[in-house]
Amino acid sequence: MKTVLFSPTPAHSMWAPASLSGARREMRNKCGACPFFIMSRVSLGKVNTRMLQKLSIAVSLALLLISAAAYAAASQPVAVTTFACSGNKSQRVGPCPHGGEPSFLIQGSDGNFYGTSFVSSEGDQSQPNGGTVFSVTPSGQFTLLHTFLPGAKNNYPNGNNPGSITEASDGNLYGVTFNGGVPEQGVVYRVGRKSGFKVIHQFCSVRNCTDGIIASKLVAGLDGNLYGLTIAGGTGSCFAGCGTIFRVVPATGTYEVMFNFDGKADGDHPISLTLAPDGSFYGFSGAIFHYVPATGDFQSLPGTTFPLFGLDGSFPTDSMVIANGKIYGLYTIYQMGGAGLFEVNLDGSNLNLFPRYNTTVSGGSPSGVLLASDGNLWVAEHVANNFSGDLISLSLSTGMVLKTLKPFGVHAAVGALPTALLQVKDGTLWGTTTMFGKVPAGHFGDGVVYRLNAGLPPR
């Protein structure tokens, strides 16, 4: 296990405890008059408790101690890389030169892992700053690829608080940030595996932000291009815009808005862009939508508006998967909370919401969602019902919890509050936590990249 420590290099002073709650906070700042359900839709797919976790740290610590003592699962994860910050351990304030709160993780075509950390310093709860892009080999060798710096005006001109990351057809890594950039609305960036960083696009760099603001997940298409969503901006009639689908062409580095949500028939504030086997995309914007890049065709699928529970509406969280000719994902209920599995055919027929497996207000804050090689849906619950998080597997046929793993906690080597989750070819699970981890004296842990052999078959 490698621990990322403070180095002689000077430290630089949103959906993930970090990233997606950062997006929720950003939506609140930029869209103060927007309906509450918009912010709920932004946050519930990943994390909606960062401020609670940080501002009530003493309470969380006590609850984490209890959950750590109760853990008795046979499958124990291994810490591969631990992120360390130096400074005030009790208040968790200080610089994190290699990053903190790792929230997104992918495996590249070279077999190594690439990810982003949301901050490079801890302490400012209203607006944590910085962030990094990093790589980790399967054996745990860590490489810092890029740090998002404050710049001369302390406005992070090249981006601040990175979110999702993906590998493109040119072999480079592409990602988005929630904040920073010259208009301070986030950027699309490119970074080489060994060196080289470039801003591809600054969000809200055109009048009225018709190019989009608040970008979510970036997805590699089968045509060699990258596609993503912005939750707001665009030409739609919503306050602050209704959102967009955009494209980045790696061959030229160009950014282009491909579709504008109108806030009416097309819906608004899209989430959960999911690639289908035929190269088209599905997502949610008030109903399930289908977008075909090759033709530009867009359809809001009839019958996929999620039902009311009494007076409270339901809607998907931010991650969906496609299997067996169906779309699967998790849903929650406005005000009631909780989380449950849903399924719907690719043509929009037979939408089915299974009973909620979790009825807590946050629904456990489901984060990473993975269709694993055992045919079940594995979920990283960022908070769960114990304030430390867990991993669960769900049956696609019944929506019931089949297995729960609780290896996370304040004293656990793998830290607490899991976020990213993926499975590699040999069946092993890899993921991240965004708080704690074992570090030397004088430091405090700020998240871990871990691996876990859960007994799953190879992919």
Side-chain angles (χ1 to χ4, degrees), residues 374-439:
D374 62 354
N376 299 316
L377 197 69
W378 283 72
V379 181
E381 292 192 302
H382 183 69
V383 178
N385 58 3
N386 57 12
F387 284 87
S388 61
D390 60 24
L391 301 179
I392 63 172
S393 67
L394 299 174
S395 167
L396 292 185
S397 61
T398 67
M400 295 179 63
V401 176
L402 301 174
K403 183 181 293 186
T404 301
L405 303 179
K406 294 180 177 291
F408 309 109
V410 62
H411 291 309
V414 293
L417 309 178
T419 302
L421 186 65
L422 60 95
Q423 185 183 31
V424 300
K425 184 178 293 187
D426 67 1
T428 304
L429 298 176
W430 283 67
T432 65
T433 60
T434 55
M435 209 172 183
F436 305 118
K438 298 290 187 180
V439 294

Side-chain angles (χ1 to χ4, degrees), residues 25-363:
R25 179 174 55 251
E26 196 65 10
M27 175 70 84
R28 181 168 60 245
N29 292 340
K30 297 169 183 172
C31 190
C34 294
F36 173 79
F37 75 88
I38 298 173
M39 289 181 281
S40 298
R41 194 186 297 169
V42 172
S43 61
L44 280 166
K46 298 284 184 182
V47 174
N48 57 13
T49 55
R50 174 183 166 82
M51 293 300 292
L52 174 62
Q53 296 152 5
K54 301 294 185 175
L55 295 177
S56 59
I57 187 68
V59 175
S60 297
L61 283 170
L63 291 169
L64 285 164
L65 283 168
I66 294 172
S67 76
Y71 172 65
S75 301
Q76 293 281 359
V78 175
V80 178
T81 292
T82 301
F83 291 79
C85 308
S86 63
N88 189 316
K89 182 177 181 179
S90 62
Q91 296 182 9
R92 299 185 59 81
V93 175
C96 314
H98 288 88
E101 303 182 29
S103 303
F104 290 87
L105 190 71
I106 63 169
Q107 186 176 33
S109 58
D110 60 357
N112 294 323
F113 298 89
Y114 299 88
T116 61
S117 71
F118 191 67
V119 302
S120 46
S121 65
E122 288 283 16
D124 183 352
Q125 306 308 327
S126 63
Q127 181 56 67
N129 287 321
T132 66
V133 181
F134 62 87
S135 69
V136 181
T137 67
S139 63
Q141 181 179 345
F142 177 93
T143 301
L144 181 64
L145 299 177
H146 181 73
T147 298
F148 293 91
L149 302 175
K153 296 181 179 179
N154 202 40
N155 62 347
Y156 292 83
N158 292 321
N160 188 14
N161 307 132
S164 74
I165 190 171
T166 191
E167 181 182 12
S169 55
D170 63 358
N172 290 314
L173 304 171
Y174 290 75
V176 297
T177 70
F178 293 114
N179 301 299
V182 175
E184 300 186 17
Q185 305 293 332
V187 306
V188 179
Y189 65 86
R190 178 184 70 207
V191 62
R193 291 179 180 177
K194 295 183 179 180
S195 63
F197 174 89
K198 181 179 180 179
V199 172
I200 299 296
H201 181 73
Q202 310 258 8
F203 288 107
C204 200
S205 57
V206 298
R207 184 178 178 85
N208 296 325
C209 299
T210 56
D211 57 333
I213 54 174
I214 314 178
S216 61
K217 184 167 57 177
L218 199 59
V219 182
L222 297 185
D223 60 2
N225 298 317
L226 303 174
Y227 294 85
L229 301 173
T230 64
I231 298 167
T235 60
S237 58
C238 310
F239 178 82
C242 301
T244 71
I245 301 174
F246 67 85
R247 179 180 70 184
V248 174
V249 181
T252 60
T254 56
Y255 172 97
E256 183 180 4
V257 171
M258 305 301 293
F259 184 82
N260 286 279
F261 292 86
D262 62 6
K264 299 174 184 177
D266 301 333
D268 53 46
H269 309 298
I271 60 170
S272 196
L273 191 66
T274 303
L275 179 66
D278 63 0
S280 64
F281 290 94
Y282 290 84
F284 183 80
S285 59
I288 302 291
F289 69 78
H290 183 218
Y291 172 71
V292 183
T295 62
D297 290 342
F298 178 96
Q299 182 185 15
S300 185
L301 299 179
T304 60
T305 300
F306 279 52
L308 291 173
F309 288 77
L311 297 178
D312 297 321
S314 60
F315 52 89
T317 61
D318 187 45
S319 295
M320 301 192 300
V321 299
I322 295 176
N324 312 319
K326 296 182 179 181
I327 302 169
Y328 296 90
L330 303 180
Y331 74 93
T332 188
I333 302 173
Y334 176 66
Q335 292 190 351
M336 295 174 63
L341 179 74
F342 76 85
E343 64 178 4
V344 62
N345 293 332
L346 292 177
D347 62 2
S349 63
N350 298 325
L351 174 64
N352 177 34
L353 276 62
F354 293 95
R356 291 175 296 164
Y357 63 83
N358 184 314
T359 57
T360 63
V361 173
S362 69

